[in-house]
Amino acid sequence: IEFPKWLTSDETQKQLTGKKVLMYCTGGIRCERATALLNQMSTVSEQLKPQGVYHCRGGIERYVKTYPSGGFWKGKNYLFDKRMEQTPDVKDDTAVEKDISSKCCLCRANFTVYRNQFKCSRGLCGVPVIVCTSCTTAAVTKPASLMCELCREGYKAPSEVPNLVAMKRAAEKMVGDNPTASEQHPLSKKPKVYYKDRIFLRRVPLTATFTKIKKSLGEDKVRELVWLVDKESGAFYGSCVVLLASPSDVKQIVDRSLSQGGVKVDKKRIKVAEVFQKDDEDEIFNHSSPQTEYPPIGAAMLNTQ
């Protein structure tokens, strides 16, 4: 609840208005929710109007994996599992340490490792604090001496709690009352438009063939099939898109997949779904190419054989 309180404060809203705001967190979940909250609040508040709100998809964990040298990230990324922290793969430890300016909250010596889950003792703060190896005993015996950097500076968190339910209802009403808002506001989503002549199959066994799938779905119903493969290896991993003869065939096969018997290929039950259209998607069916009977093996698999 601390983040919504912070967003509600007049000082925060003045700082964010007219600015591009980037959200990031460890793994991408909290910043995605925070982005949605900021978008919702900016819809109904005249004082909170950021120029744009963005979030780092996958968090810093994915960012550092994408940019092995660290990119714009400096220091270590604290993790909530046994790894404890993440550093760029191709950046040596000395360079990483130089990027960090953290200190032990007790002796104020430079220290870059967070262990033992020590937290600030001031009021209800509870912000994690760094304690060096030499001060660990003092931190355990005198936990009241632990203080984070914000409390040391005298920072006081806003106390006003926003009415998030009322904000959500107001935002939904604004989008509903304005037909053009669905094209402009990030809270709204375009309705999905489904293809009328194709279905998506997943959990398809690796032993599947075009003939087997035709026999399972109905030989008079299936026109073409595209095996979906991994972009890097080119290998088939159990998914394909099937072009059918008519819209009624789509409905019939989807309904059959939801029945007790389901749809099976080589005695294995597969998943069937409709395929929705994407704005930037190219047509995957090339009617001039011959239909392939078997799914691709992939270069990576060929190299291992």
mmCIF file of all heavy atoms in Angstrom, residues 244-268:
data_model
loop_
_atom_site.group_PDB
_atom_site.id
_atom_site.type_symbol
_atom_site.label_atom_id
_atom_site.label_comp_id
_atom_site.label_asym_id
_atom_site.label_seq_id
_atom_site.Cartn_x
_atom_site.Cartn_y
_atom_site.Cartn_z
ATOM 1 N N LEU A 244 -8.776 -24.660 -42.106
ATOM 2 C CA LEU A 244 -9.940 -25.516 -42.292
ATOM 3 C C LEU A 244 -10.795 -25.048 -43.466
ATOM 4 O O LEU A 244 -10.627 -23.947 -43.993
ATOM 5 C CB LEU A 244 -10.775 -25.553 -41.011
ATOM 6 C CG LEU A 244 -10.047 -26.075 -39.761
ATOM 7 C CD1 LEU A 244 -10.952 -25.966 -38.543
ATOM 8 C CD2 LEU A 244 -9.585 -27.509 -39.960
ATOM 9 N N ALA A 245 -11.730 -25.889 -43.849
ATOM 10 C CA ALA A 245 -12.546 -25.624 -45.034
ATOM 11 C C ALA A 245 -13.613 -24.570 -44.796
ATOM 12 O O ALA A 245 -13.977 -23.826 -45.712
ATOM 13 C CB ALA A 245 -13.189 -26.922 -45.525
ATOM 14 N N SER A 246 -14.156 -24.474 -43.566
ATOM 15 C CA SER A 246 -15.258 -23.550 -43.311
ATOM 16 C C SER A 246 -15.298 -23.126 -41.855
ATOM 17 O O SER A 246 -14.738 -23.819 -40.981
ATOM 18 C CB SER A 246 -16.590 -24.206 -43.681
ATOM 19 O OG SER A 246 -16.877 -25.261 -42.773
ATOM 20 N N PRO A 247 -15.969 -21.992 -41.553
ATOM 21 C CA PRO A 247 -16.123 -21.547 -40.155
ATOM 22 C C PRO A 247 -16.856 -22.554 -39.283
ATOM 23 O O PRO A 247 -16.571 -22.674 -38.087
ATOM 24 C CB PRO A 247 -16.927 -20.248 -40.293
ATOM 25 C CG PRO A 247 -16.631 -19.760 -41.668
ATOM 26 C CD PRO A 247 -16.489 -20.998 -42.513
ATOM 27 N N SER A 248 -17.781 -23.293 -39.866
ATOM 28 C CA SER A 248 -18.506 -24.290 -39.082
ATOM 29 C C SER A 248 -17.578 -25.409 -38.619
ATOM 30 O O SER A 248 -17.776 -25.994 -37.552
ATOM 31 C CB SER A 248 -19.660 -24.872 -39.901
ATOM 32 O OG SER A 248 -19.180 -25.501 -41.078
ATOM 33 N N ASP A 249 -16.543 -25.697 -39.416
ATOM 34 C CA ASP A 249 -15.567 -26.718 -39.021
ATOM 35 C C ASP A 249 -14.770 -26.261 -37.795
ATOM 36 O O ASP A 249 -14.438 -27.063 -36.920
ATOM 37 C CB ASP A 249 -14.601 -27.012 -40.181
ATOM 38 C CG ASP A 249 -15.305 -27.686 -41.346
ATOM 39 O OD1 ASP A 249 -16.302 -28.391 -41.113
ATOM 40 O OD2 ASP A 249 -14.847 -27.503 -42.494
ATOM 41 N N VAL A 250 -14.459 -24.956 -37.748
ATOM 42 C CA VAL A 250 -13.734 -24.407 -36.602
ATOM 43 C C VAL A 250 -14.539 -24.628 -35.323
ATOM 44 O O VAL A 250 -14.025 -25.140 -34.329
ATOM 45 C CB VAL A 250 -13.449 -22.902 -36.806
ATOM 46 C CG1 VAL A 250 -12.834 -22.311 -35.533
ATOM 47 C CG2 VAL A 250 -12.507 -22.686 -37.983
ATOM 48 N N LYS A 251 -15.794 -24.238 -35.348
ATOM 49 C CA LYS A 251 -16.648 -24.374 -34.166
ATOM 50 C C LYS A 251 -16.819 -25.832 -33.767
ATOM 51 O O LYS A 251 -16.752 -26.186 -32.584
ATOM 52 C CB LYS A 251 -18.014 -23.749 -34.440
ATOM 53 C CG LYS A 251 -18.946 -23.746 -33.217
ATOM 54 C CD LYS A 251 -20.260 -23.089 -33.520
ATOM 55 C CE LYS A 251 -21.127 -22.964 -32.254
ATOM 56 N NZ LYS A 251 -21.281 -24.229 -31.536
ATOM 57 N N GLN A 252 -17.015 -26.693 -34.766
ATOM 58 C CA GLN A 252 -17.247 -28.109 -34.472
ATOM 59 C C GLN A 252 -16.034 -28.750 -33.802
ATOM 60 O O GLN A 252 -16.162 -29.487 -32.819
ATOM 61 C CB GLN A 252 -17.594 -28.849 -35.761
ATOM 62 C CG GLN A 252 -17.948 -30.318 -35.544
ATOM 63 C CD GLN A 252 -18.236 -31.030 -36.852
ATOM 64 O OE1 GLN A 252 -17.792 -30.614 -37.907
ATOM 65 N NE2 GLN A 252 -18.986 -32.122 -36.773
ATOM 66 N N ILE A 253 -14.837 -28.453 -34.303
ATOM 67 C CA ILE A 253 -13.623 -29.076 -33.761
ATOM 68 C C ILE A 253 -13.297 -28.502 -32.380
ATOM 69 O O ILE A 253 -12.892 -29.240 -31.469
ATOM 70 C CB ILE A 253 -12.445 -28.889 -34.734
ATOM 71 C CG1 ILE A 253 -12.710 -29.654 -36.032
ATOM 72 C CG2 ILE A 253 -11.143 -29.374 -34.101
ATOM 73 C CD1 ILE A 253 -11.688 -29.413 -37.109
ATOM 74 N N VAL A 254 -13.474 -27.187 -32.195
ATOM 75 C CA VAL A 254 -13.229 -26.585 -30.881
ATOM 76 C C VAL A 254 -14.187 -27.161 -29.842
ATOM 77 O O VAL A 254 -13.780 -27.510 -28.722
ATOM 78 C CB VAL A 254 -13.362 -25.049 -30.951
ATOM 79 C CG1 VAL A 254 -13.338 -24.448 -29.542
ATOM 80 C CG2 VAL A 254 -12.251 -24.452 -31.786
ATOM 81 N N ASP A 255 -15.454 -27.306 -30.218
ATOM 82 C CA ASP A 255 -16.443 -27.889 -29.300
ATOM 83 C C ASP A 255 -16.095 -29.338 -28.973
ATOM 84 O O ASP A 255 -16.229 -29.780 -27.832
ATOM 85 C CB ASP A 255 -17.843 -27.810 -29.914
ATOM 86 C CG ASP A 255 -18.379 -26.384 -29.964
ATOM 87 O OD1 ASP A 255 -17.804 -25.521 -29.268
ATOM 88 O OD2 ASP A 255 -19.351 -26.132 -30.704
ATOM 89 N N ARG A 256 -15.633 -30.072 -29.976
ATOM 90 C CA ARG A 256 -15.277 -31.486 -29.750
ATOM 91 C C ARG A 256 -14.077 -31.601 -28.811
ATOM 92 O O ARG A 256 -13.990 -32.536 -27.999
ATOM 93 C CB ARG A 256 -14.983 -32.169 -31.086
ATOM 94 C CG ARG A 256 -14.585 -33.650 -30.947
ATOM 95 C CD ARG A 256 -14.907 -34.424 -32.222
ATOM 96 N NE ARG A 256 -14.128 -33.958 -33.352
ATOM 97 C CZ ARG A 256 -12.969 -34.509 -33.734
ATOM 98 N NH1 ARG A 256 -12.465 -35.516 -33.044
ATOM 99 N NH2 ARG A 256 -12.337 -34.053 -34.784
ATOM 100 N N SER A 257 -13.150 -30.640 -28.911
ATOM 101 C CA SER A 257 -11.970 -30.685 -28.035
ATOM 102 C C SER A 257 -12.330 -30.480 -26.571
ATOM 103 O O SER A 257 -11.605 -30.901 -25.677
ATOM 104 C CB SER A 257 -10.958 -29.623 -28.471
ATOM 105 O OG SER A 257 -11.431 -28.318 -28.166
ATOM 106 N N LEU A 258 -13.472 -29.807 -26.330
ATOM 107 C CA LEU A 258 -13.909 -29.537 -24.961
ATOM 108 C C LEU A 258 -14.782 -30.646 -24.394
ATOM 109 O O LEU A 258 -15.125 -30.632 -23.214
ATOM 110 C CB LEU A 258 -14.683 -28.213 -24.919
ATOM 111 C CG LEU A 258 -13.895 -26.961 -25.342
ATOM 112 C CD1 LEU A 258 -14.808 -25.752 -25.389
ATOM 113 C CD2 LEU A 258 -12.721 -26.717 -24.414
ATOM 114 N N SER A 259 -15.153 -31.590 -25.241
ATOM 115 C CA SER A 259 -15.983 -32.698 -24.784
ATOM 116 C C SER A 259 -15.160 -33.702 -23.995
ATOM 117 O O SER A 259 -13.933 -33.587 -23.898
ATOM 118 C CB SER A 259 -16.648 -33.381 -25.976
ATOM 119 O OG SER A 259 -15.673 -33.992 -26.804
ATOM 120 N N GLN A 260 -15.810 -34.700 -23.473
ATOM 121 C CA GLN A 260 -15.120 -35.679 -22.628
ATOM 122 C C GLN A 260 -14.056 -36.458 -23.405
ATOM 123 O O GLN A 260 -12.969 -36.708 -22.897
ATOM 124 C CB GLN A 260 -16.139 -36.661 -22.033
ATOM 125 C CG GLN A 260 -15.521 -37.632 -21.031
ATOM 126 C CD GLN A 260 -16.567 -38.486 -20.339
ATOM 127 O OE1 GLN A 260 -17.758 -38.361 -20.620
ATOM 128 N NE2 GLN A 260 -16.150 -39.337 -19.427
ATOM 129 N N GLY A 261 -14.353 -36.820 -24.630
ATOM 130 C CA GLY A 261 -13.384 -37.584 -25.424
ATOM 131 C C GLY A 261 -12.253 -36.737 -25.953
ATOM 132 O O GLY A 261 -11.112 -37.192 -26.069
ATOM 133 N N GLY A 262 -12.551 -35.446 -26.275
ATOM 134 C CA GLY A 262 -11.533 -34.542 -26.779
ATOM 135 C C GLY A 262 -11.068 -34.902 -28.174
ATOM 136 O O GLY A 262 -11.672 -35.721 -28.873
ATOM 137 N N VAL A 263 -9.976 -34.271 -28.586
ATOM 138 C CA VAL A 263 -9.348 -34.550 -29.882
ATOM 139 C C VAL A 263 -8.004 -35.200 -29.614
ATOM 140 O O VAL A 263 -7.201 -34.676 -28.842
ATOM 141 C CB VAL A 263 -9.167 -33.248 -30.695
ATOM 142 C CG1 VAL A 263 -8.423 -33.539 -31.993
ATOM 143 C CG2 VAL A 263 -10.516 -32.612 -30.992
ATOM 144 N N LYS A 264 -7.746 -36.333 -30.257
ATOM 145 C CA LYS A 264 -6.508 -37.078 -29.998
ATOM 146 C C LYS A 264 -5.722 -37.307 -31.280
ATOM 147 O O LYS A 264 -6.301 -37.495 -32.356
ATOM 148 C CB LYS A 264 -6.829 -38.420 -29.344
ATOM 149 C CG LYS A 264 -7.468 -38.309 -27.956
ATOM 150 C CD LYS A 264 -7.708 -39.688 -27.351
ATOM 151 C CE LYS A 264 -8.331 -39.555 -25.957
ATOM 152 N NZ LYS A 264 -8.585 -40.881 -25.338
ATOM 153 N N VAL A 265 -4.405 -37.288 -31.130
ATOM 154 C CA VAL A 265 -3.480 -37.645 -32.212
ATOM 155 C C VAL A 265 -2.502 -38.649 -31.634
ATOM 156 O O VAL A 265 -1.848 -38.372 -30.623
ATOM 157 C CB VAL A 265 -2.725 -36.410 -32.749
ATOM 158 C CG1 VAL A 265 -1.701 -36.830 -33.791
ATOM 159 C CG2 VAL A 265 -3.698 -35.392 -33.340
ATOM 160 N N ASP A 266 -2.417 -39.819 -32.270
ATOM 161 C CA ASP A 266 -1.586 -40.916 -31.730
ATOM 162 C C ASP A 266 -1.941 -41.217 -30.271
ATOM 163 O O ASP A 266 -1.070 -41.346 -29.404
ATOM 164 C CB ASP A 266 -0.094 -40.577 -31.854
ATOM 165 C CG ASP A 266 0.473 -40.994 -33.203
ATOM 166 O OD1 ASP A 266 -0.254 -41.651 -33.968
ATOM 167 O OD2 ASP A 266 1.631 -40.656 -33.487
ATOM 168 N N LYS A 267 -3.238 -41.264 -29.991
ATOM 169 C CA LYS A 267 -3.785 -41.600 -28.671
ATOM 170 C C LYS A 267 -3.495 -40.565 -27.595
ATOM 171 O O LYS A 267 -3.776 -40.783 -26.418
ATOM 172 C CB LYS A 267 -3.267 -42.968 -28.211
ATOM 173 C CG LYS A 267 -3.663 -44.119 -29.125
ATOM 174 C CD LYS A 267 -3.148 -45.444 -28.575
ATOM 175 C CE LYS A 267 -3.543 -46.604 -29.509
ATOM 176 N NZ LYS A 267 -3.077 -47.906 -28.986
ATOM 177 N N LYS A 268 -2.923 -39.438 -28.002
ATOM 178 C CA LYS A 268 -2.640 -38.375 -27.030
ATOM 179 C C LYS A 268 -3.618 -37.222 -27.240
ATOM 180 O O LYS A 268 -3.776 -36.720 -28.357
ATOM 181 C CB LYS A 268 -1.207 -37.868 -27.186
ATOM 182 C CG LYS A 268 -0.871 -36.746 -26.219
ATOM 183 C CD LYS A 268 0.550 -36.243 -26.408
ATOM 184 C CE LYS A 268 0.852 -35.088 -25.454
ATOM 185 N NZ LYS A 268 2.219 -34.558 -25.636
#
